Amino acid sequence: MKKFLLGAIVVLLIVFGYRYYDNRQTEREQLEQNSQLIQEQIKNVGKLVVTEGNFSQVWSYKDSKKFYLDVFSARKKALIVVNAKVTVSYDLSELETEIDEENKRVIIKSIPKEELNIYPDIQYYDVTQDYLNQFEASDYNTIKKKVSASIRKKVEASTIKSNAQNRLISELSKIYILTNSMGWTLEYNDMPVNSQNDFSDIKL
C-alpha cells in the first residue's frame, strides 16, 4: 500500500511538474510573440510624420543712400509677394524605445524633436532703382532673412505645430493600444501611460 501511495505521489509530481513546465513554456512563447508584435508595431510607427502648411505675405522693401553731404539721395524699392510652404516633421525612425519582457513594459526613452522647414517663393514687383543704388546680392539675402523671420512668426501663431503634434500623438497611441491590449505597460519619462489622452499631457 505504501509503495502504491509512493508511486502515485511520484506520478502526480511528474504530471504537475510537466504541466508546470509546459505552462511556463507556453507563457514564455506567448511573451516572445507579444514582444515581437510590439517590436513590429514600433517599426511600423517609425516613419516620417509631416504636416504641411502654406503662408502668404505682401510687403515693401525700401532703401536709400545719400550723397554729396546728403544733398542727393539714390533710392531703390520693390513690392515683394511671398508664398511659403512650411513643413513640421517628426522623424519617428529616431524614436528610442526599450522592451522589458520580464516586467512586460515598453519604455519610450526619447521622442525626436520637431523639424521646422520653410521654403519661401519670393516674387518681386514694381522694382525701381536709381543708378547709384541698385539691387545687389546683399539686398536679396537681407530680404530672404526678413521673409523667413516673418513667416516663422506666422507659423508660431498658427495651428500647424499643434496639428503636427496631434499627428505624432496619433502614431504613438498605436503603441499604447497594442501594449494595453496585451496587458503590458507603456512608460515615458518614468511615468506610465494609462490612456491615449495621457500623451496630450506629455511635454514633447
Side-chain angles (χ1 to χ4, degrees):
M1 185 69 178
K2 288 183 178 179
K3 289 183 178 179
F4 175 77
L5 287 173
L6 184 60
I9 291 171
V10 171
V11 170
L12 285 173
L13 286 173
I14 292 172
V15 170
F16 282 118
Y18 174 77
R19 286 185 176 176
Y20 175 78
Y21 173 78
D22 188 52
N23 287 338
R24 291 283 293 177
Q25 198 63 18
T26 301
E27 287 177 5
R28 183 62 195 170
E29 289 175 358
Q30 185 65 46
L31 192 63
E32 289 178 355
Q33 287 178 4
N34 289 348
S35 179
Q36 288 175 1
L37 280 172
I38 291 169
Q39 289 178 31
E40 189 64 30
Q41 181 63 70
I42 292 171
K43 183 179 177 182
N44 290 338
V45 166
K47 60 186 179 183
L48 186 65
V49 179
V50 182
T51 302
E52 295 185 359
N54 292 288
F55 296 82
S56 299
Q57 187 171 2
V58 178
W59 56 288
S60 60
Y61 176 79
K62 294 180 181 179
D63 178 76
S64 64
K65 290 182 179 179
K66 294 187 180 297
F67 301 92
Y68 305 112
L69 301 176
D70 294 342
V71 175
F72 299 103
S73 63
R75 299 181 177 85
K76 57 186 170 188
K77 64 179 183 177
L79 181 68
I80 300 166
V81 178
V82 182
N83 289 296
K85 176 184 173 182
V86 175
T87 64
V88 180
S89 60
Y90 291 92
D91 186 358
L92 291 182
S93 65
E94 296 180 3
L95 183 71
E96 292 184 22
T97 59
E98 178 184 328
I99 296 178
D100 178 4
E101 288 188 359
E102 184 177 349
N103 298 300
K104 295 184 177 180
R105 296 189 308 157
V106 176
I107 305 157
I108 298 177
K109 301 181 73 175
S110 175
I111 297 174
K113 298 293 184 182
E114 66 184 31
E115 295 179 13
L116 173 63
N117 291 298
I118 299 173
Y119 307 97
D121 177 23
I122 304 173
Q123 301 291 330
Y124 296 87
Y125 298 92
D126 297 332
V127 177
T128 59
Q129 53 190 341
D130 292 337
Y131 179 77
L132 295 176
N133 189 14
Q134 299 193 12
F135 277 93
E136 300 174 349
S138 59
D139 293 297
Y140 296 113
N141 289 334
T142 298
I143 289 169
K144 190 172 182 179
K145 286 179 181 178
K146 287 184 177 180
V147 164
S148 294
S150 178
I151 295 297
R152 190 175 291 272
K153 285 183 180 179
K154 282 196 167 189
V155 168
E156 296 296 338
S158 74
T159 60
I160 186 172
K161 280 193 171 184
S162 60
N163 291 342
Q165 193 171 94
N166 288 338
R167 290 192 60 190
L168 170 67
I169 290 171
S170 177
E171 291 298 321
L172 295 177
S173 293
K174 294 176 183 177
I175 302 174
Y176 165 75
I177 291 169
L178 181 60
T179 53
N180 185 60
S181 69
M182 297 188 303
W184 285 50
T185 301
L186 180 64
E187 296 180 10
Y188 178 63
N189 276 347
D190 299 322
M191 295 291 292
V193 178
N194 297 315
S195 72
Q196 290 176 256
N197 292 332
D198 283 358
F199 280 114
S200 300
D201 300 326
I202 290 175
K203 187 176 180 181
L204 300 171

